[in-house]
Structures are given as structure tokens and as C-alpha cells.
Amino acid sequence: GTLDALAAVCFIVGYLSRSDLFNEQTFRFLPRLIVTLLALMLFAHWRTQILMEFFFCMIERVPQVLY
């Protein structure tokens, strides 16, 4: 998912920066930022839906726990 894509980009950018192709901080930061923003755009709705379902499930179980 999100972390896999970010880890892949970090690995590739790290490899390229070690081979002296890119020495600028910008070239190391920009791909990570782009992948993070893309992953958020793609998966934020899905993650929010899962968290909302979990929250409503916990609220429905409150009476069972209290009584």
C-alpha cells in the first residue's frame, strides 16, 4: 500500500543519490513528497471509511460493556 510505494521510492532515490547522479537535496525530497501525496490522494478515502466503521462499531458496543 502506501508504505510500500514510499519505501520503494526512498530506496530508488537513495540508490541514485549514492551513485552521485543527484546531489541536490531537492532531488531526494521531491519524489518522496510526490509519492506521499499521491498515496494520500488514492488511499485517504478508504482509510477514513475503515476508521469510521471501527468508530461506529465501538460506539455500538458501549452498552454491552457497561451493562
Side-chain angles (χ1 to χ4, degrees):
T2 306
L3 292 177
D4 294 335
L6 185 60
V9 167
C10 289
F11 176 76
I12 292 168
V13 171
Y15 177 76
L16 291 175
S17 66
R18 288 176 64 204
S19 64
D20 292 332
L21 292 175
F22 300 108
N23 282 332
E24 295 276 337
Q25 286 291 101
T26 306
F27 289 117
R28 286 187 240 160
F29 175 72
L30 195 58
R32 294 175 188 172
L33 177 65
I34 291 170
V35 168
T36 302
L37 292 176
L38 284 173
L40 283 174
M41 287 181 357
L42 292 173
F43 299 113
H45 178 70
W46 175 69
R47 285 292 221 193
T48 304
Q49 184 178 5
I50 288 176
L51 287 173
M52 292 293 288
E53 289 174 4
F54 175 75
F55 176 75
F56 288 132
C57 185
M58 289 295 112
I59 294 299
E60 289 174 355
R61 290 185 183 183
V62 167
Q64 296 172 358
V65 173
L66 293 178
Y67 301 111

